[in-house]
Amino acid sequence: MRKFRTGAVPPRIAQPIVFRTGVLANLHSACALVSLKVDDDKPRDLSMWQEARRRAGLRLSGPARVAAVPSSASAQAFDRTLRCAYLLPNRTCLDSCDDGYYKDDSGATEDTGGVCTECYETCSKCSGRETCSECQQHTYLSRVDYMCRSTCEDGFYQKGVAEVGNTCEACPGSCSLCSSAEKCSACTEGFFLTPNETCDESCPDGYYGNSSLGSCESCPAFCDRCSDANTCMDCMKSRTLTAAATCDFVCPEGFYKNGTGTIGDSCQRCPSGCGRCIAGMFSPVVCLECVDYNFLTHRGECVKICPEGYYPEAGDGPIGGMCKTCDPTCVACRSQLECTKCKVLHFLTPEAKCELDCPRGWTEKGGMDLQNPGVCVPCADNCAACHSLEVCQVCTNFNYLHQGSCARSCPVRFFELNTAKWEKEGRLCSVCRENDYECSAPNALVGQQREEMTIQAQSCQNDYYLDDKECVQKEKCPVGTWPRRGSEGAQDPGNFIGGVCEECPYNCEACSSPVRCTSCRRNTYLSPEMFCEERCPVGFFEQGTAETKRSCQPCSTNCSACESSAFCTQCTNGAYLTEDFTCEPSCPEGFYPRHPPDGSSDGRTCEKCLGDCLTCETRYSCTKCKNSAYLTHKKECLPECPATHYPDGSDEDEGRFCIECLGTCSECSGPYNCTQCKTPTFLTSHASCESSCPEGYYMEVGRDVHNYWGLKVGGLCKSCPENCNRCLGSGCMECNKFTYLDSNGECVERCPDGYFGRGTAELGRVCAPCSASHGLCLNTSYVLECGENTYLDPWNITCVQTCPDGYFGLDGESKEGGPKIGGTCEKCLGTCKKCSSSVVCEVCWDGTFLNPRTGRCAMECPSDHYMVGFGVEGRICKPCPLEAAGCVNETWFFECRGDNQYLAVGGGTCTTKCPDGYFGRPGVQLEEDGPLIGGTCEKCVGNCQRCKSAKECLQCKGGTYFDPISFKCSFECPSDHFMVGIGDMGRECKPCPQLFGACVNETFATQCRGDQQYLVPAGGACSSSCPAGFFGRPGVVMSEEEPLIGGTCEQCIAPCETCFSATECKTCKGGTYLNPYDHGCRFDCPPDTFMSGTGVFRSLELEPG
């Protein structure tokens, strides 16, 4: 068919016109098309075309002209179609539809166009019958179905009031109904309609959210915030929120108002035990009255126990108890009359009072601070009055006072001063003379002048000697006596006690001890032992001829018998007699020492060595060779070393020696070149001895017994056959280089007939025999499979339920839901004899141990396991107990694990506490967040009995004292410490009080510390001022930024009565006058001064002018 366009002249119609207009009455049909069949060979008739237009009822919008198309005999036949784009109901053709219509292409084809269909009644514009884009007649365009409606759906509001173009717009997200974009009338779930007609998740103050209504409702009266109509959360100003969630003016009993009178005040319950309370200014709450037998404190708190400084006073039954203030001198008390703790510088007496001083028989303890409150404690036994527990002042019960202590008798260096026999108190110990160690003074009494006493020495000290009850120096012992020195004091090193002047021995002209003469008489010789003898002993020769001064002179060194000092006949002390008749400590080169048969150190001689021996110990025991000979293990000199030793490699002519083969080598040619091994090792191709052979070799056990070692000779590592990775003898156990192990134990490139190759790796391929009864034996395209719950045995090619030793069962696969087919026995790894998988072994062999941590076999166990088992198989590694990081067995440990675990002394066990004399040295952390490993008990250093580390001692022994500064043990304490303790252990150095530079104890000073501190004349105490007749001599600077040390009270020099220093007097006595120029005391005055004063205190004054 040919087509023609509007305005074109149609050809002559040769056949009747076929109209395909459809039903013209239907406005939804396609635009009517008139198709004309045209024959080019026939004449064209324009009237026929016009007739077609008329019959089709077609009207063309715009000028419609038809032009004639000339005919041609050679023109090609063509079809022309007249097409309308869109047809209105009034049969007008348009390129586009007008408002109120939409384009309907549902019936359009290639030959026919669309139609303009009228929109819905209220639509002014639309894109379909029921799809409006603009509304009219005061209707609103829905955003849901794009229809025009008189009202909008829920969730939308009406926008616009014009005749045309009004729309339905969506409400805000939280609105379910709204009247505009800003005002909601209902909210979605979870939101509340506020008084401002908005939707919020919460309501404003004064409102609560009503979930059932979805709106904000007003709170109860006076309520600023609430959770419902009956529960207030915050009250308005001047109102308080009660526990019942209501707003009232005042709080009920047992509650107090918490707030400032603004919004948010609430009633809070009084604390436990409090009946009435109010809010505090400096604390949250102040109680006014307590209940339940509690007591009201000064801070407004209720307590069961009153604070320190207060005592409880009961109220009316369980109500009204109060804490009353203790006496001003008390820090703590039980009542107004009974103190239990005193304030600073006050002391608790036996009558429970706090006083500045304790009664007689009691002494003060503490009191310098509240950490150590002052108390009165009874004086020590037999002490009637004391300065402290350590310093008694008056003794009773017939005891003697000695350095602040009471004793039944006086110690050494002191003698007794008695009182009347009926007086129990007042006896004293007085010090002996300086060099007396023990002394007495018969009938000496307390109060008697020392010059009136007769003091007698009983023993001496300071290296003095007793002679007729007097202690003299050793030089003053009489002639014919010698000073017998005493013993050194155990507690006083360097002080020799008990020396006496003793008579010299017989024949001694003079002596220095009972066994040491210094000159002889009666024609005797002074022996080496300092005795006077008639003849000299062996080892000495006689010298001298006079009656006196004869002596025994020693032979030369190490000579036991001699004719003179240069001619020895016998040696001693292990020395050897040489050819020159001298005694030497060793024989010269080429000689060996010869000992007497009894092995004595006397009478030894030097004998000449034999053969190639350069030096020797005996005739047959060489120590060094010459002439290129080697010293063997038998101490012989031979031209070559035995097979069990190798030469040292020296090129020198002298001193060559043989070295024993190392380690497990039984014979060797060098330090790293074994030629034969000891059992149970094997000689490898690298000339080393190993416990097992490398892959590609097998072990051949040695059978001969070595004549030197006395043990069986080790084995050899012999090479496996070609392509064999592991073998047992000449039979291969595992092949390599992609070869297969056949049934003869040989490695072949292809399996023989009746076998198939199993394995794909380079190692471990085997030739498995076929078995028709158990499965299929396949070539390179197939596999051998076993049935359900069985496994292919790689050795005998049978299907078994349990795999042999050294293999484990690997399940096959299930095909189409059936049983598992194709299970195989796979080889266990390494030396595993029984395993459950390729990585989990159960039993090991070949002397290896099963590691339970890895499930593998190994020659050694992990460091925290120990080996169990003997023989070839069944050996296992068992874990050490939890506290052990290394052990020999479950009871013997050699390394410990844990932050507080230490290896006990001597090993074997772990302990959390080391014994006395040892300290725990922590181990090291080998893993992050892991425990410490390797803690040990280390011995304390020196005299330390207990210690924290090698440098920090805690307790000392051996009579030494613990120094708290250096944490070390010493026989002496630092200068500002004093010694405490007796016995072998527990002694310690304690610091002197702050004002003491040195002291005997905490109350008796021997040196003072401070810029204004002086040692009082009587000693024992430090004072900031000196008494009359003394002046303060400042101490010295020991170190920078430290106070002065060693200040003392020195006596003024006569005739000074009082003084400023040793050279400056303040007042004078003895009838002397104070010189104003040099501050000295003079009997006469300078020319320009005059005398003033007539009494004891006189002074010089300057004359006027």
Side-chain angles (χ1 to χ4, degrees), residues 561-595:
C562 63
E563 298 295 331
S564 68
S565 60
F567 191 95
C568 190
T569 58
Q570 187 179 6
C571 297
T572 186
N573 296 329
Y576 298 91
L577 184 63
T578 68
E579 290 180 320
D580 300 326
F581 295 100
T582 60
C583 294
E584 304 295 341
S586 61
C587 291
E589 195 171 72
F591 291 81
Y592 67 91
R594 184 175 182 180
H595 296 176

Side-chain angles (χ1 to χ4, degrees), residues 802-810 825-844 850 855-857:
T802 302
C803 291
D805 288 347
Y807 292 82
F808 68 96
L810 181 65
C825 289
E826 299 294 333
K827 188 165 182 22
C828 300
L829 290 179
T831 56
C832 182
K833 187 174 183 180
K834 292 183 180 179
C835 60
S836 58
S837 70
S838 61
V839 295
V840 180
C841 189
E842 296 174 346
V843 178
C844 297
L850 178 60
R856 302 288 182 87
C857 298

Side-chain angles (χ1 to χ4, degrees), residues 39 201 213 249 261 309 343 412 436 531 569 586 626 660 1063:
D39 189 352
E201 291 181 308
L213 299 177
F249 280 109
K343 69 177 185 179
V412 293
D436 295 351
F531 289 111
T569 58
S586 61
K626 60 184 178 180
E660 185 178 302
T1063 59

Side-chain angles (χ1 to χ4, degrees), residues 863 865 880 884-888 892-896 903 907-910 936:
S863 60
H865 287 61
C880 298
C887 62
V888 177
W892 183 268
F893 313 149
F894 59 83
E895 192 173 52
C896 297
L903 186 64
T909 60
C910 295
T936 56

